[in-house]
Every structure is written in C-alpha cells, then in structure tokens.
Amino acid sequence: MKYQTASGMRDLLENDLILFNKITKAAEKIADFYRFKKIETPLLENSEIFEKGTGLFTDIVEKEMFSLVTKGGDRLTLRPEFTPSVVRSYIENGMQALPKPVNLWYAGPCFRYERPQAGRFRQFYQLGFETLGAEEPVIDSLIILVCYGILDSLGIKNLTVQVNSIGCSACRPYFKKVLVSSLKKSFNSLCQDCKKRLKKNPLRVLDCKEEKCERIKRACPQILDHLCRDCHNHFKALLEFLESAGIPFALNPYLVRGLDYYTKTVFEISQDASLSQGSLGGGGRYDDLVKLLGGKPTPACGAALGIDRIALLLKKEKNELVPQEKADVFLAQVGELAKQKSLALLEEFRKANINLAQTMNKDSLSGQLKMAAKLEAKISLIFGHQEALKSEIILREMSSGKQKITTLNKVVAEVKKQLKMG
Ligand code: AMP
C-alpha cells in the first residue's frame, strides 16, 4: 500500500518553506510599520460563521467547505477564509471597545474543496489584513497599498490592481433588479451556473468566465452608473488616493468577488493585469459584516494574499531555491569513542552559537573533509580514537591546511578566536 497526500493537499518541503517564510516576513515587516497586530484564530469554527458571514449562496459555502459534526453534535468547518473568523474574534474579545480603527493581520492555512489545479489547492495559505472601525476611503487605499507593497517588496513586477465598487445596501438592490431584467433577456444563452446565479446571486453572473456569459454581461448595465451618492463619492476618493500613492490600477466593472459581505470597494491584485491565472490577492470593504455576526455596526475593510500563488510566481520568475548551505566549522569524527564524546562537544558549540556542521553516520575522514570543503567550512575539527582517548582534538585551518592540537575543554574558545568571534 502506497499512501499519498489527499487530493489537493501537499507537503511543503524545504524549498517551499524558504519561500513561504520569505513572503510572511515581508508581510510582517509592512504590518509592523503600519501597526497591524497579529492574530491567530482556530482552524475550526462553528459552520454558521461562514454560512452567515461568507454567505449561503457563495461557491465557498455552497460547494467548498470542509465541514464535520463533532461527537457532541457541533457543526464545525475548517476555515475557508479568515475574515469571518477575525470578525468573530473582534466581537468575542471585546475589541469593539478599543480605540478605532483596530488593525489586525494574520497568516495561515485555509481549506476549500475546489478542483485541484495549478495554483489551486484544497489546503492553501493566506495572509491578510483587516481594519475595523473606519469608514473613510483612505482606509481602503491603505489596505491596497499594504498588499501592493508586500508584492512589490518581493520583487514582483507588472502588478495591477483591478478595482470596482459593488455599492451598498442602499443602491445595490436597485442595481440587482436592473441587472436581472437585462440578463433575463438572454436567459437561454447563459451557462447552467449563471442560470442558477440569476436567481440566487445575480451579481456573480458578472464574474463568470464562460465566453457566452462574458458576451452577455458586456451588454448589461454597469454598477458604477448606479451607485448612490455616498458610494460614488467613496469610490471617486479611493481612486484619487490610489493615483496619488502611485499604485497602478484599472477599473473593472465586472469584478464582484465571490463573497457576499462586500460593500462598496472590491479589488484584486494580479500580475500582467490578467485574472485568468488566478489573482495573487484580493479584498474589499465589508461595512455590514460585524453587525451581521452579532456585533455593533462597524465599518471595515480587508484583504488576503495567497501565499502559495506568490511562492509559485517567485519560483518561476527567479528560480529562488535553497541558498547553498554553509558552515563555519566542520566536526569530523572517526570511531565509536569519538562519536560518543562528540555529543557533549556539539552541545557546547550550539550554546556558543557557532555555525557547525557534522555527520554522525560517516566514518571515512576523507569523505568528511570533502563535505567540510563543500560547506566552505573555515575550520575542520578532526576527532579520532587517539584524540578521544587523550581528550584532545585536531584543529585544521581549511584554507592553508595547517593543523594544531588543542584540548577538548579549550576547543570552543580556540575556534571562537580563529573565527574572530567576540
Ligand atoms: P479569496 O479569499 O477567494 O479572495 O482569495 C484570496 C487569495 O487567496 C487569492 O487571490 C489566491 O491568491 C488565494 N487562493 C484562494 N483560493 C485558493 C486555492 N484554492 N489555492 C491556492 N490559493 C488560493
């Protein structure tokens, strides 16, 4: 029997983790600068949080949740995204009483039962930012700036931010009616999914990538022409902020994003202005979500970046793999007694913060010295049976091949001296 990871799941090996850490560090740096506080929420939440928050008629809730019922009968779901969890935590932990806005950021795995393909996994990793308690459009632009800044600091070129406004509870219901009556004229030509969407979530038709639906939607009225004054002014101000921040953006009147909770601003960031490869990240404003999940009415805005996709892009663009491993010191051990005595010695080196490599399972000295050369060690310590008996060790300077003997209790100090460590 040969076991494999479950479909859409993968192991992250050293090369992946190097990139993942690099991406998360880039985010942390920017989060610190803009004073976002880190938050960790549980992987499992009560299913209702996503059903209510993300929305019953979204693809995520309809088709993609990994859910279970506990022995006690609780319905739980592995988070498919962070925002409803963060909002739940904001309410539950009394963060509504904190000075506003409250800025939070996170990073971790999410789970969606999607058809696995390039850049689309069932366990994937997101990092994201949420600002709760502020309604000004400058906040939306700051969230975009933070996401853009992270990708830019990682050296990703040709980024475009696609932006749209999907209105609010005042203007969207009216637009939905206008849209539905326009779409009904071409009902028979819509794809099967869009026929269903028309009833449950008509805005999602605008998002459809099927060619026949694309043609139909281009003939439809556009939401930007139907925004209420407040949404219109908010959107106009956002574009001005983006312009003055020097962020390359493009209006995309068909961008609605899959989630129910957005109000006003929605955006996605991708490379080369194309969303066909899937976006690197996206987000928007969600002024009604805190109230929907039981909190006081609180305007908010946030976004998430997909770590897996960014890592794939960095790998493709720069071939960024494991940096060549190096060591300052190599400990070569020959014989059982030397190996036995080495363990205590290794601990001394570890506590002295010396970058030392060794191999426990090779006996040939020449093989070990070859390895030391490969790791570009400055010093090799040679510890054989004779030396172990006398509690001594040979110190070999690799560049000159010069060797000297020192006692075991002085070797750490001697190595430090040669490496010119304080
Ligand atoms: P969303 O929460 O759907 O707005 O997704 C935000 C970002 O997460 C996307 O732009 C992707 O980069 C990433 N993402 C979403 N779903 C997946 C997935 N199944 N596999 C890999 N990355 C994903």
mmCIF file of all heavy atoms in Angstrom, residues 51-66:
data_model
loop_
_atom_site.group_PDB
_atom_site.id
_atom_site.type_symbol
_atom_site.label_atom_id
_atom_site.label_comp_id
_atom_site.label_asym_id
_atom_site.label_seq_id
_atom_site.Cartn_x
_atom_site.Cartn_y
_atom_site.Cartn_z
ATOM 1 N N GLU A 51 -21.438 30.387 7.022
ATOM 2 C CA GLU A 51 -22.733 30.378 6.317
ATOM 3 C C GLU A 51 -23.333 31.775 6.344
ATOM 4 O O GLU A 51 -23.826 32.281 5.344
ATOM 5 C CB GLU A 51 -23.684 29.375 6.978
ATOM 6 C CG GLU A 51 -23.268 27.931 6.728
ATOM 7 C CD GLU A 51 -23.886 26.934 7.690
ATOM 8 O OE1 GLU A 51 -24.641 27.348 8.613
ATOM 9 O OE2 GLU A 51 -23.606 25.737 7.545
ATOM 10 N N LYS A 52 -23.258 32.413 7.516
ATOM 11 C CA LYS A 52 -23.815 33.760 7.643
ATOM 12 C C LYS A 52 -22.891 34.813 7.057
ATOM 13 O O LYS A 52 -23.304 35.716 6.346
ATOM 14 C CB LYS A 52 -23.999 34.088 9.131
ATOM 15 C CG LYS A 52 -25.410 34.033 9.588
ATOM 16 C CD LYS A 52 -25.523 34.697 10.933
ATOM 17 C CE LYS A 52 -26.929 35.197 11.141
ATOM 18 N NZ LYS A 52 -27.159 35.627 12.499
ATOM 19 N N GLY A 53 -21.592 34.676 7.394
ATOM 20 C CA GLY A 53 -20.617 35.710 7.026
ATOM 21 C C GLY A 53 -20.263 35.656 5.553
ATOM 22 O O GLY A 53 -20.547 36.594 4.791
ATOM 23 N N THR A 54 -19.663 34.565 5.135
ATOM 24 C CA THR A 54 -19.243 34.445 3.732
ATOM 25 C C THR A 54 -20.477 34.440 2.830
ATOM 26 O O THR A 54 -20.466 34.993 1.727
ATOM 27 C CB THR A 54 -18.439 33.142 3.541
ATOM 28 O OG1 THR A 54 -17.445 33.075 4.564
ATOM 29 C CG2 THR A 54 -17.763 33.098 2.194
ATOM 30 N N GLY A 55 -21.546 33.800 3.301
ATOM 31 C CA GLY A 55 -22.810 33.870 2.566
ATOM 32 C C GLY A 55 -23.252 32.528 2.027
ATOM 33 O O GLY A 55 -22.477 31.817 1.402
ATOM 34 N N LEU A 56 -24.534 32.206 2.275
ATOM 35 C CA LEU A 56 -25.083 30.897 1.892
ATOM 36 C C LEU A 56 -25.000 30.617 0.406
ATOM 37 O O LEU A 56 -24.842 29.484 -0.010
ATOM 38 C CB LEU A 56 -26.560 30.833 2.317
ATOM 39 C CG LEU A 56 -26.846 30.283 3.707
ATOM 40 C CD1 LEU A 56 -28.346 30.212 3.938
ATOM 41 C CD2 LEU A 56 -26.229 28.894 3.889
ATOM 42 N N PHE A 57 -25.106 31.678 -0.405
ATOM 43 C CA PHE A 57 -25.165 31.446 -1.850
ATOM 44 C C PHE A 57 -23.834 31.692 -2.550
ATOM 45 O O PHE A 57 -23.775 31.967 -3.732
ATOM 46 C CB PHE A 57 -26.282 32.294 -2.475
ATOM 47 C CG PHE A 57 -27.622 31.933 -1.918
ATOM 48 C CD1 PHE A 57 -28.462 32.897 -1.393
ATOM 49 C CD2 PHE A 57 -28.021 30.603 -1.884
ATOM 50 C CE1 PHE A 57 -29.694 32.554 -0.853
ATOM 51 C CE2 PHE A 57 -29.254 30.248 -1.346
ATOM 52 C CZ PHE A 57 -30.094 31.230 -0.825
ATOM 53 N N THR A 58 -22.762 31.628 -1.792
ATOM 54 C CA THR A 58 -21.448 31.761 -2.425
ATOM 55 C C THR A 58 -20.942 30.365 -2.772
ATOM 56 O O THR A 58 -21.359 29.375 -2.159
ATOM 57 C CB THR A 58 -20.441 32.408 -1.453
ATOM 58 O OG1 THR A 58 -20.396 31.604 -0.271
ATOM 59 C CG2 THR A 58 -20.862 33.821 -1.075
ATOM 60 N N ASP A 59 -20.010 30.297 -3.737
ATOM 61 C CA ASP A 59 -19.419 28.993 -4.087
ATOM 62 C C ASP A 59 -18.784 28.372 -2.857
ATOM 63 O O ASP A 59 -18.872 27.169 -2.625
ATOM 64 C CB ASP A 59 -18.331 29.167 -5.164
ATOM 65 C CG ASP A 59 -18.957 29.303 -6.538
ATOM 66 O OD1 ASP A 59 -20.205 29.199 -6.616
ATOM 67 O OD2 ASP A 59 -18.220 29.539 -7.511
ATOM 68 N N ILE A 60 -18.102 29.221 -2.071
ATOM 69 C CA ILE A 60 -17.381 28.704 -0.898
ATOM 70 C C ILE A 60 -18.325 27.922 0.005
ATOM 71 O O ILE A 60 -18.047 26.779 0.372
ATOM 72 C CB ILE A 60 -16.706 29.856 -0.110
ATOM 73 C CG1 ILE A 60 -15.571 30.453 -0.934
ATOM 74 C CG2 ILE A 60 -16.218 29.391 1.250
ATOM 75 C CD1 ILE A 60 -14.784 31.545 -0.240
ATOM 76 N N VAL A 61 -19.453 28.518 0.352
ATOM 77 C CA VAL A 61 -20.346 27.853 1.303
ATOM 78 C C VAL A 61 -21.161 26.755 0.621
ATOM 79 O O VAL A 61 -21.358 25.673 1.181
ATOM 80 C CB VAL A 61 -21.249 28.887 2.012
ATOM 81 C CG1 VAL A 61 -22.291 28.199 2.886
ATOM 82 C CG2 VAL A 61 -20.386 29.833 2.846
ATOM 83 N N GLU A 62 -21.574 27.006 -0.609
ATOM 84 C CA GLU A 62 -22.401 26.003 -1.285
ATOM 85 C C GLU A 62 -21.642 24.727 -1.600
ATOM 86 O O GLU A 62 -22.164 23.634 -1.497
ATOM 87 C CB GLU A 62 -22.945 26.589 -2.583
ATOM 88 C CG GLU A 62 -24.298 27.225 -2.409
ATOM 89 C CD GLU A 62 -24.907 27.636 -3.744
ATOM 90 O OE1 GLU A 62 -24.158 27.922 -4.700
ATOM 91 O OE2 GLU A 62 -26.123 27.680 -3.812
ATOM 92 N N LYS A 63 -20.357 24.904 -2.033
ATOM 93 C CA LYS A 63 -19.665 23.725 -2.571
ATOM 94 C C LYS A 63 -18.333 23.397 -1.906
ATOM 95 O O LYS A 63 -17.800 22.336 -2.115
ATOM 96 C CB LYS A 63 -19.343 23.954 -4.059
ATOM 97 C CG LYS A 63 -20.499 24.339 -4.919
ATOM 98 C CD LYS A 63 -20.018 24.416 -6.373
ATOM 99 C CE LYS A 63 -20.820 25.419 -7.154
ATOM 100 N NZ LYS A 63 -20.161 25.883 -8.347
ATOM 101 N N GLU A 64 -17.728 24.359 -1.195
ATOM 102 C CA GLU A 64 -16.300 24.183 -0.932
ATOM 103 C C GLU A 64 -15.894 23.972 0.520
ATOM 104 O O GLU A 64 -14.719 23.875 0.817
ATOM 105 C CB GLU A 64 -15.538 25.404 -1.499
ATOM 106 C CG GLU A 64 -15.674 25.505 -3.004
ATOM 107 C CD GLU A 64 -15.103 26.784 -3.580
ATOM 108 O OE1 GLU A 64 -14.581 27.618 -2.806
ATOM 109 O OE2 GLU A 64 -15.182 26.952 -4.800
ATOM 110 N N MET A 65 -16.848 23.920 1.430
ATOM 111 C CA MET A 65 -16.419 23.841 2.825
ATOM 112 C C MET A 65 -16.115 22.406 3.253
ATOM 113 O O MET A 65 -16.810 21.469 2.883
ATOM 114 C CB MET A 65 -17.482 24.440 3.738
ATOM 115 C CG MET A 65 -17.726 25.902 3.442
ATOM 116 S SD MET A 65 -18.152 26.896 4.860
ATOM 117 C CE MET A 65 -19.669 26.176 5.395
ATOM 118 N N PHE A 66 -15.038 22.269 4.026
ATOM 119 C CA PHE A 66 -14.745 21.000 4.695
ATOM 120 C C PHE A 66 -15.426 21.085 6.057
ATOM 121 O O PHE A 66 -14.947 21.810 6.930
ATOM 122 C CB PHE A 66 -13.241 20.832 4.903
ATOM 123 C CG PHE A 66 -12.490 20.372 3.684
ATOM 124 C CD1 PHE A 66 -11.993 21.297 2.774
ATOM 125 C CD2 PHE A 66 -12.271 19.027 3.455
ATOM 126 C CE1 PHE A 66 -11.291 20.881 1.653
ATOM 127 C CE2 PHE A 66 -11.566 18.601 2.336
ATOM 128 C CZ PHE A 66 -11.077 19.524 1.429
#
